[in-house]
């Protein structure tokens, strides 16, 4: 392992301008349809069988009888899968082994109890419909409140405390409350899918739409009772994942593999949209109970916070997600005393999972809720209260990590205030509001500070295998997966700059467990940091082996050799990169290398709640303006200005796409997307007809997105910074702007608002501020409904 790479071998303005125009490596294929996804590959597998689940119609029940035989009478049905078919362990739970593939106790509505395999999807579905099963229903826990009441938890309380909490009672201003935060459906365009077959040497091979091929391999091996070397998992690319395929791809791959194992035929599992929405986990709904103490100038003195997440039927990643919530309840603010606890509720619902931000967004929403309410109560502009609380360089967080480069937050804030014309527009909005009794505008500015690294330290490693052929063409393998975020584009850029070759010389290979083993999930926004650095390491090794060969070909010192654009040159003499590779081969010098990277200087002691869990922080800020209609509660997003620190960006166009997409996904979560479960515990919003997603109409009418001007991040590959998740939380500015607009209906009002801020909730919040206490009851009832 070489030291982390701080820049390309030959950087400078030339490279910089080239990066400006780098498009997503699959952009053309995404548009033409040439970019293939897992389920596009099914026609390559003759004799393929399709799988359909038998679903339990209860949220909580005992399975009394199950008769699969009638399914076999359906024409086209080849086999059924049930517990007796499992050679290994019949469980797909990655951490706790609490996800039986063939359960006898039903733990959520529509839980699969068995699978039917047939020559067509229709036949499998018809076969599943013929299965007879009987159940004894049991009482179900369907909300966080019910879970608290029933003491139904998946974890003990997690806790971080710091500072002297007597500051709370001593504070001049107290902001206390409860905030209910809705979940979110991932709605990746490509639903969960896997194809499994037995290969020519007795191994089990899979294509899987998974963010974590190594873990999918592990679960498949466990279910089949074979060592991992018998199982190979490949992910060509995903049509979106957003955390929803970090662990939740495993079960479907396991079913496909089990089917192939039993029938000796290829088996395909692909969930329909309705099945995917009914069966897979979502962003966790949260309930927050908080007490915050502030000084009269708005400076935070103390925060006591209890978080409850709705984990659903199994543990999944709920525990690290809750840890990330505890780490992010400060957002960008120094709070002298903090006592935060988090508990994952066990409910009879889908098992909630990773989703862009990984528990950070919910906790950051709470502290922004506190500051907005405090600002309204104190009649100080929200942006002023916020900047008064910013960390300064050298401060430490409530978990004991020094906040390096906190000054970047202030730089971003100052710059964005100017470019968004915050002060001028605030005055204009005041005039607008004075003239319009039934329409009000609101403006809010919010910051983001987001910690980069997996909070479980051991995950922070990346691996690569770079193969250079004698003709100077290159294959790059690494442990990361492509889900649309542009990881492969960035890694290709790293490889081509490191080797001094042009783009078409570098072929990015699909992610495979037989190229790089024991990899981490592509998650925590660290895909490029980890895998890009590993590829840079491999390329640096190859380059250093090529250097003496090139020097002797060119008759010069090694120091004089320049690699660029497929040419190796020194003192006016040149040789092609291919010629150097061929010469190296003839001198018996290996032209391939594995690369490795581990993030330095991170650690965390879970028991003590202290350490340095993050390699660095990403900073950003947003200013949003909305206009709310007082008759309907409907609103439009007039303008958003975003400024994000992506360090020295490896692919600025890709990063811009991540910022825009992440922001809009956050706007959806906070304003229009609303998950509903019915009284039986069934997901009531299991399709695009009932679950409203943001689209063109939800884009800000004016949308200004900028990257902070190229401050390189020390100790990260090429000076870049992670960009995948942090922009999602810039959307909090939209929710807080809505709150400001609601408050404008009765100047001086302090507005409380649950999430999402749907037009319905906004309508009742306006009624509340207009009419006062009596209406508050109604608003409270409506806003708490159906989380
Ligand atoms: N962008 C697209 N287009 N599709 C996705 O599925 N996932 C997000 C983010 N951006 C996602 C995305 C999530 S949850 C994470 S953690 C990062 O991408 C993962 O990729 P990275 O580490 O390479 O940034
Ligand atoms: N972020 C995202 N995914 C994860 C993490 C994390 O911190 N830990 C385990 N999986
Ligand atoms: Mo992202 S939620 O870390 O996959």
């Amino acid at each position: 392992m070489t030291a982390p790479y701080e820049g390309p071998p030959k950087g400078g303005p030339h490279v910089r301008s080239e990066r400006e125009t780098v498009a997503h490596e699959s952009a053309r294929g995404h548009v033409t349809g040439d970019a293939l996804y897992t389920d596009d590959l099914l026609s390559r597998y003759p004799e393929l069988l399709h799988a359909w689940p038998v679903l339990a119609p209860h949220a909580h029940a005992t399975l009394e009888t199950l008769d699969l035989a009638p399914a076999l009478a359906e024409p086209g049905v080849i086999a059924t899968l049930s517990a007796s078919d499992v050679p290994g362990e019949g469980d797909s739970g990655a951490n706790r082994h609490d996800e039986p593939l063939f359960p006898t106790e039903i733990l959520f509505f529509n839980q699969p109890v068995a699978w039917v395999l047939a020559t067509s999807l229709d036949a499998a579905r018809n076969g599943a419909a013929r299965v007879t099963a009987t159940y004894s229903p049991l009482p179900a826990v369907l909300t966080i409140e019910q879970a608290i009441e029933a003491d139904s938890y998946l974890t003990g309380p997690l806790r971080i405390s710091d500072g002297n909490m007597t500051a709370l009672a001593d504070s001049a201003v107290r902001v206390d409350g409860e905030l209910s935060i809705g979940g979110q459906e991932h709605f990746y365009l490509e639903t969960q899918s896997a194809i499994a077959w037995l290969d020519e040497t007795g191994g089990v091979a899979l294509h899987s739409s998974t963010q974590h091929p190594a873990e999918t391999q592990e679960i498949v091996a466990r279910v089949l009772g074979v060592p991992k070397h018998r199982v190979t998992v490949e992910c060509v690319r995903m049509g979106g994942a957003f955390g929803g395929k970090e662990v939740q791809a495993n079960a479907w791959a396991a079913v496909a593999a089990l089917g192939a194992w039993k029938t000796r035929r290829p088996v395909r599992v692909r969930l329909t949209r309705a099945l995917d929405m009914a069966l897979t986990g979502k962003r966790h709904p949260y309930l927050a109970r908080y007490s915050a103490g502030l000084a009269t100038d708005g400076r935070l003195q103390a925060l006591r916070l209890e978080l409850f997440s709705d984990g659903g039927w199994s543990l999944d990643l709920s525990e690290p997600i809750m840890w990330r919530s505890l780490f992010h309840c400060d957002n960008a603010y120094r709070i002298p005393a903090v006592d935060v606890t988090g508990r994952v509720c066990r409910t009879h619902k889908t098992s909630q999972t990773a989703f862009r931000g990984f528990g950070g967004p919910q906790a950051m929403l709470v502290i922004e809720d506190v500051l907005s309410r405090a600002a309204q109560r104190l009649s100080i502009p929200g942006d002023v209260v916020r900047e008064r609380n910013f960390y300064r360089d050298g401060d430490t967080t409530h978990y004991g990590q020094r906040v390096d480069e906190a000054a970047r937050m202030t730089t971003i804030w100052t710059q964005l205030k100017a470019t968004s014309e915050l002060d001028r527009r605030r005055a204009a909005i005041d005039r607008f509001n004075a003239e319009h009794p039934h329409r009000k505008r609101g403006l809010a500015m919010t910051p983001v500070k987001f910690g980069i690294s997996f909070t479980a330290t051991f995950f922070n490693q990346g691996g690569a295998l770079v193969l250079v052929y004698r003709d100077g063409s290159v294959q790059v393998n690494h442990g990361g997966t492509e889900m649309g975020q542009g990881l492969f584009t960035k890694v290709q850029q790293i490889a081509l700059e490191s080797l001094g070759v042009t783009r078409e010389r570098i072929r990015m290979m699909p992610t495979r467990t037989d190229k790089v083993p024991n990899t981490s999930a592509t998650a925590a926004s660290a895909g490029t940091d980890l895998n890009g650095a590993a590829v840079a390491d491999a390329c640096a090794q190859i380059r250093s082996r090529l250097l003496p060969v090139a020097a002797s070909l060119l008759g010069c010192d090694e120091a004089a050799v320049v690699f660029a654009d497929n040419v190796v040159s020194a003192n006016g003499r040149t040789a092609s990169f291919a010629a150097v590779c061929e010469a190296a081969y003839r001198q018996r010098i290996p032209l391939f290398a594995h690369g490795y990277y581990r993030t330095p200087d991170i650690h965390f002691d879970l028991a003590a709640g202290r350490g340095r869990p993050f390699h660095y922080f990403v900073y950003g800020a947003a200013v949003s303006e909305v206009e709310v209609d007082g008759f309907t509660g409907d609103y439009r997003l007039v303008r958003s200005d975003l400024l994000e620190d992506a360090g020295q960006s490896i692919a600025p166009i890709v990063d811009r796409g991540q910022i825009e997409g992440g922001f809009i996904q956050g706007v959806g979560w906070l304003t229009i997307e609303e998950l509903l479960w019915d009284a039986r515990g069934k997901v009531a919003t299991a399709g695009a007809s009932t679950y409203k997603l943001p689209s063109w109409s939800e884009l800000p009418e004016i949308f200004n997105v900028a990257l902070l001007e190229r401050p390189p991040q020390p100790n990260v590959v090429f000076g870049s910074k992670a960009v995948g998740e942090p922009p999602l939380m810039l959307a909090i500015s939209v929710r807080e702007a809505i709150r400001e607009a609601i408050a404008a209906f009765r100047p001086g009002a302090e507005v409380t608002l649950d999430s999402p801020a749907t037009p319905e909730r906004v309508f009742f919040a306006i009624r509340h501020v207009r009419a006062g206490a009596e209406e508050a009851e109604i608003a409270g009832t409506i806003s708490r409904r159906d989380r």
Side-chain angles (χ1 to χ4, degrees), residues 468-474 505 576-579 581-582 591:
V468 178
Y469 294 90
R470 286 162 62 187
D471 65 355
S473 67
V474 183
R505 291 284 178 99
S576 70
F577 182 75
C581 293
E582 177 65 20
L591 287 172

Side-chain angles (χ1 to χ4, degrees), residues 211 242-243 246 354-358 522-525 725:
Q211 286 174 254
F242 306 110
E246 185 173 336
F355 196 144
R356 208 170 193 169
F358 205 76
T522 304
S525 302
E725 294 167 287

Side-chain angles (χ1 to χ4, degrees), residues 178-247:
E178 260 191 27
L179 176 63
S180 156
I181 303 171
Q184 186 176 23
E185 165 62 38
H186 298 83
F187 223 105
Y188 26 62
L189 290 182
E190 178 210 25
T191 53
Q192 302 277 353
S193 62
I195 301 174
W197 68 97
L198 304 186
D199 74 15
E200 51 293 343
T201 59
V204 181
L206 293 103
H207 290 294
S208 168
S209 182
T210 174
Q211 286 174 254
H212 198 169
E215 192 178 82
T216 302
Q217 173 197 29
E218 173 179 336
I219 300 301
V220 167
R222 204 167 85 190
V223 170
L224 298 182
V226 300
K228 289 182 186 173
H229 74 198
R230 288 274 299 270
V231 181
T232 308
V233 176
E234 169 173 335
C235 176
V236 54
R237 61 164 64 70
M238 286 166 279
F242 306 110
K245 298 169 183 172
E246 185 173 336
V247 300

Side-chain angles (χ1 to χ4, degrees), residues 73-88:
E74 175 72 22
V77 170
I78 301 296
T80 57
L81 295 178
S82 60
S84 59
D85 297 310
V86 180

Side-chain angles (χ1 to χ4, degrees), residues 15 187-188 201 207 334 358 362 444 488 652 678 723 730 761:
V15 164
F187 223 105
Y188 26 62
T201 59
H207 290 294
R334 196 180 87 86
F358 205 76
Q362 292 93 331
F488 279 32
D678 71 14
V723 73
L730 296 176
R761 280 205 185 88

